[in-house]
C-alpha cells in the first residue's frame, strides 16, 4: 500500500495513475522472478556520486561534501558526525567505528578497526564482585570511544577537505536544531526509563523536561561545542585535551574506571580485510574482534546447497540457513575476540575445507537443539558513500544498545558506549575481560568485489542480526536474482538464542523469527522440523548499499524502508 497525505499540484487522475504504476512495479518486478510479494521500490541511480545513510539529512550532508570536492571518505565522516546528532539512538562519538575503504587509485581495500579498549584500572576481580555478568548500563561497561580517532585515521589517509568543513554542517544543525523523526523520537523515549537515572542524560536529551516528539526541533548546543573543539584543535582535543579531561572527570565522579590515561593512549588499527568467495563474488569482512567472519562462515556452509532450486519461500531454504547460522555462531561464541590477546584460528574458520567438514552436521529434516547463539538487541548506524573518482567506503558506527551506557557528560553532549558489556567473565575464555582489551564487537561493515573489481559496499544494522543479514543480502542477489533494493526489502530470517555472545549454551534450539512474507506452509513445515517460531518486530536491522557498474561506472543506491534511511546521488 502506498499512502500519501498531500496531492499538491498533481491532478487526481495523474496521482492515481502514478500510484498504480509504482504499486505494480514494486511488487511485480520481483514477482516475475520468484513469485514472492513484498513492498519494494526502484534503486537510485546516479553517474558521479552516491550516499546511503540511515537519515536523509545525513545523506544530503554527504552529497554536499562531495559536491564541494570532498572524497567519499570526507563525506562519510561528515555524515557520521551528522548522524551522531540526528540519530543519537544508534550512534555518536562516545562509541566505536569500523570501516572498509576501496581506493580506486591503488585498486585495493583497506580496513580500519577503530574500537576502544577497556579501562586499565578495571580488573576481572572487580567485575566478578558485581555479579555473574557485566552490567548493561552505568559506568562499568564503558570502554574507550574509538570513533573520533577513526575519523582522523580515515581523513589522514583518504581525506581532502579540512575537518572544519566536514564538521560544519553538524555543528550548524546542532545549534539551530533539526526536526526529530518519528522513529528516532520513539527510540529516544524508550531510552529514558533506564538511562534517565544517570547524571547528564536528561540535561542533554531532555532540556525541556521531556524527550522530543516527532517533528519537534531538537538542539544540542553542548555537542556543537564539542564538535567545534574537535574541528579547531584536532584529534587530540578528544583524547588528550579538554574533552578527554571532562570525560575522565565525569567518569570518576560516577564511580567509573575510564581514565584520562586510557583516552590518551588509545589508537586505531589498520587491518587487512578477509575475503571469502561465494559463487564468483568475494565478500570482504574485517577480522575479529568483530563478528564479520560469521557471515563468511554461513556462506561457506550454504555454498554446498542449491538454494536457488529450493526457492526463497521454502522450508528447505529457511531450515538450511538457520542450521548453517547455528554452526557459524558456535564458532563465534568460542573464538571471536581481541587478536592482541589470543591466537585465533581465523584462516581455518573461513576455509572451504572447514566448511565442508562442518556441513555434514546439518540434518535436512531436523533442527539442532544444542548450540551457541548471540544477542539480537542493539542499535547502530551504517552508511556508505562513493565518489566521482571511484573511492567507496563502508562504515559502521555505534554506541551499543541504542543510547549506550547512559553515562552522559552534560557539557559534551553525547553518551558513552557500553561495549564492555560484551566481555565474558569466564576465566580462560577467548573473550574474558582484561584491562586494555577490546571486547567482542557486533558492528561490521561489508564490501563485495567481483573479479578483483568493486561490486558493492553494504551493511545492515542490529546486533547479532548483522552477519545473518550480510549473508541473506548476497543470497537474495546471487541465488534469488533480486536487485540491490529488493535484496534489502525482502522478508528476513533471524535466528536468536541465548542473550550472551560468548559463554552461554543454547539448549533448546533457539527461536526462528520470520518477517511477514513467508507463507503459512513454510512456517508449518519448519515447526514440523523442530523449529520454534516466534514473532518479532524491530531488530531485523536497517540496510544501506551502493553498487558500482564495472562497465559504465554508474552507481546504484539502496536504502530499505524499515528505518528512516535515504540513498541519493548526483
Amino acid at each position: 500500500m502506498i499512502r500519501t497525505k498531500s496531492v499538491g499540484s498533481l491532478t487526481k487522475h495523474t496521482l492515481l495513475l502514478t500510484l498504480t504504476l509504482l504499486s505494480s512495479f514494486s511488487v511485480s518486478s520481483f514477482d516475475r522472478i520468484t513469485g514472492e510479494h513484498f513492498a519494494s521500490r526502484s534503486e537510485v541511480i546516479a553517474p558521479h556520486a552516491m550516499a546511503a545513510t540511515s537519515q536523509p539529512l545525513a545523506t544530503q550532508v554527504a552529497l554536499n561534501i562531495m559536491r564541494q570536492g570532498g572524497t567519499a571518505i570526507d563525506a562519510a565522516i561528515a555524515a557520521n558526525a551528522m548522524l551522531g546528532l540526528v540519530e543519537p539512538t544508534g550512534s555518536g562519538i562516545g562509541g566505536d567505528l569500523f570501516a572498509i575503504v576501496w581506493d580506486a587509485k591503488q585498486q585495493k581495500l583497506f580496513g580500519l578497526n577503530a574500537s576502544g579498549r577497556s579501562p586499565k584500572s578495571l580488573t576481572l576481580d572487580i567485575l566478578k564482585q558485581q555479579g555473574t555478568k557485566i552490567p548493561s548500563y552505568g559506568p562499568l561497561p564503558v570502554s574507550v570511544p574509538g570513533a573520533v580517532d577513526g575519523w582522523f585515521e580515515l581523513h589522514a589517509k583518504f581525506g581532502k577537505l579540512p575537518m572544519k568543513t566536514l564538521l560544519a554542517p553538524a555543528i550548524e544543525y546542532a545549534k539551530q536544531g533539526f526536526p526529530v523523526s518519528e522513529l528516532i523520537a520513539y527510540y529516544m523515549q524508550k531510552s529514558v526509563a533506564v538511562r534517565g537515572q544517570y547524571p547528564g542524560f536528561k540535561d542533554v536529551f531532555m532540556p525541556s523536561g521531556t524527550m522530543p516528539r516527532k517533528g519537534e526541533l531538537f538542539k544540542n548546543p553542548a555537542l556543537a561545542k564539542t564538535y567545534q573543539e574537535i574541528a579547531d584543535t584536532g584529534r587530540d582535543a578528544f583524547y588528550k585535551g579538554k574533552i578527554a579531561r571532562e570525560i575522565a572527570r565525569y567518569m570518576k565522579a560516577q564511580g567509573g574506571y575510564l581514565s584520562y590515561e586510557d583516552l590518551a593512549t588509545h589508537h586505531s588499527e589498520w587491518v587487512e580485510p578477509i575475503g571469502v568467495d561465494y559463487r564468483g563474488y568475494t565478500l570482504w569482512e574485517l577480522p575479529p574482534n568483530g563478528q564479520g567472519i560469521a557471515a563468511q562462515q554461513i556462506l561457506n556452509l550454504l555454498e554446498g546447497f542449491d538454494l536457488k532450486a529450493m526457492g526463497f519461500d521454502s522450508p528447505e531454504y529457511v531450515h538450511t540457513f538457520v542450521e548453517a547460522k547455528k554452526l557459524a555462531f558456535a564458532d563465534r561464541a568460542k573464538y571471536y575476540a581481541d587478536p592482541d590477546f589470543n591466537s585465533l584460528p581465523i584462516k581455518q574458520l573461513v576455509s572451504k575445507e572447514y566448511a565442508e567438514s562442518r556441513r555434514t552436521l546439518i540434518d535436512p529434516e531436523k533442527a539442532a537443539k544444542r548450540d551457541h547463539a548471540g544477542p539480537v538487541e542493539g542499535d547502530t548506524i551504517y552508511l556508505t558513500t562513493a565518489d566521482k573518482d571511484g573511492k567507496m567506503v563502508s562504515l559502521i558506527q555505534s554506541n551499543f544498545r541504542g543510547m549506550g551506557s547512559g553515562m552522559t557528560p552534560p557539557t559534551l553532549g553525547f553518551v558513552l558506549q557500553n561495549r564492555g558489556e560484551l566481555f565474558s567473565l569466564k576465566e580462560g575464555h577467548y573473550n574474558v575481560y582484561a584491562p586494555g582489551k577490546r571486547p567482542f564487537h557486533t558492528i561490521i561493515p561489508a564490501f563485495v568485489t567481483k573479479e578483483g573489481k568493486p561490486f558493492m559496499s553494504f551493511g545492515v544494522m542490529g546486533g547479532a542480526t548483522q552477519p545473518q543479514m550480510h549473508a541473506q543480502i548476497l543470497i537474495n542477489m546471487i541465488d534469488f536474482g533480486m536487485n540491490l533494493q529488493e535484496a534489502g526489502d525482502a522478508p528476513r530470517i533471524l535466528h536468536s538464542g541465548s542473550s550472551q555472545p560468548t559463554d552461554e549454551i543454547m539448549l533448546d534450539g533457539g527461536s526462528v523469527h520470520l518477517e511477514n512474507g513467508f507463507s503459512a506452509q513454510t512456517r508449518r513445515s519448519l515447526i514440523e522440523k523442530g523449529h520454534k517460531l516466534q514473532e518479532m518486530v524491530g531488530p531485523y536491522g536497517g540496510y544501506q548499499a551502493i553498487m558500482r557498474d564495472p562497465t559504465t561506472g554508474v552507481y546504484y543506491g539502496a536504502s530499505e524502508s524499515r528505518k528512516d534511511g535515504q540513498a541519493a546521488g548526483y
Side-chain angles (χ1 to χ4, degrees), residues 10 19 35 74 78 89 114 120 131 143 156 226 243 269 280 294 442 463:
L10 287 175
L19 294 182
D74 288 331
T89 53
K120 295 183 179 67
S143 52
T226 298
I243 300 169
E269 289 187 359
T442 57

Side-chain angles (χ1 to χ4, degrees), residues 52-56 59 543-544 559-567:
T53 83
S54 52
Q55 288 289 317
T59 296
Y543 161 77
Q544 319 288 337
S559 179
E560 49 119 325
S561 59
R562 293 172 183 84
K563 293 200 172 186
D564 296 327
Q566 179 194 30

Side-chain angles (χ1 to χ4, degrees), residues 445-458:
F447 203 94
V448 180
T449 58
K450 184 173 175 58
E451 298 177 351
K453 301 297 181 182
F455 176 73
M456 178 170 66
S457 173
F458 79 104

Side-chain angles (χ1 to χ4, degrees), residues 117-127 129-130 139-140 142-144 248 251-252 255-263 265 433-437:
R117 296 163 179 81
S118 59
K120 295 183 179 67
S121 60
L122 180 59
T123 66
L124 180 61
D125 287 340
I126 292 173
L127 287 171
Q129 293 170 16
Q130 308 299 317
L140 287 179
V142 177
S143 52
V144 175
M251 287 299 295
K252 184 176 182 180
Y257 292 85
L258 185 70
S259 69
Y260 179 87
E261 180 191 1
D262 295 322
L263 292 160
T265 56
Y433 179 86
K437 184 176 182 179

Side-chain angles (χ1 to χ4, degrees), residues 136-314:
S136 300
Y137 310 104
L140 287 179
V142 177
S143 52
V144 175
V148 170
D149 187 63
W151 287 355
F152 280 86
E153 287 288 334
L154 289 165
H155 188 257
K157 204 174 190 74
F158 301 108
K160 183 183 293 184
L161 300 182
M163 192 64 77
K164 286 186 178 182
T165 302
L166 306 187
L167 298 185
I171 292 170
E172 181 182 358
Y173 272 107
K175 290 178 179 178
Q176 301 299 323
F178 68 93
V180 178
S181 74
E182 183 175 11
L183 188 68
I184 300 306
Y186 168 78
Y187 281 116
M188 289 181 78
Q189 184 60 48
K190 280 190 67 175
S191 297
V192 176
V194 175
R195 296 169 181 86
Q197 65 183 296
Y198 298 115
F201 185 84
K202 290 184 177 180
D203 296 328
V204 171
F205 299 108
M206 303 172 63
S208 64
T210 60
M211 277 293 188
R213 299 180 301 276
K214 179 181 72 170
E216 183 178 336
L217 285 176
F218 177 70
K219 301 176 183 179
N220 192 337
L223 184 61
K225 291 180 181 178
T226 298
Y227 279 172
Q228 192 65 61
E229 182 72 18
I230 295 170
D232 293 340
T233 312
R235 177 250 184 224
D236 283 354
F238 192 93
Y239 294 97
K240 296 181 180 180
K242 294 180 182 178
I243 300 169
R245 287 191 287 272
E246 178 57 21
I247 292 173
R249 184 206 64 76
Y250 173 87
M251 287 299 295
K252 184 176 182 180
Q254 309 313 317
Y257 292 85
L258 185 70
S259 69
Y260 179 87
E261 180 191 1
D262 295 322
L263 292 160
T265 56
H266 171 72
H267 61 91
S268 302
E269 289 187 359
W270 289 97
V271 297
E272 288 290 332
I274 298 170
V276 167
D277 179 79
Y278 181 74
R279 308 196 201 282
Y281 296 80
T282 303
L283 171 64
W284 296 89
E285 301 277 359
L286 298 182
N289 54 313
Q291 61 174 338
I293 64 171
Q296 296 169 324
Q297 289 192 255
I298 291 171
L299 289 174
N300 275 345
L301 289 162
L302 293 175
E303 198 170 30
F305 299 92
D306 189 349
L307 303 184
K308 182 177 181 180
M310 292 179 183
F312 177 78
D313 179 18
S314 71

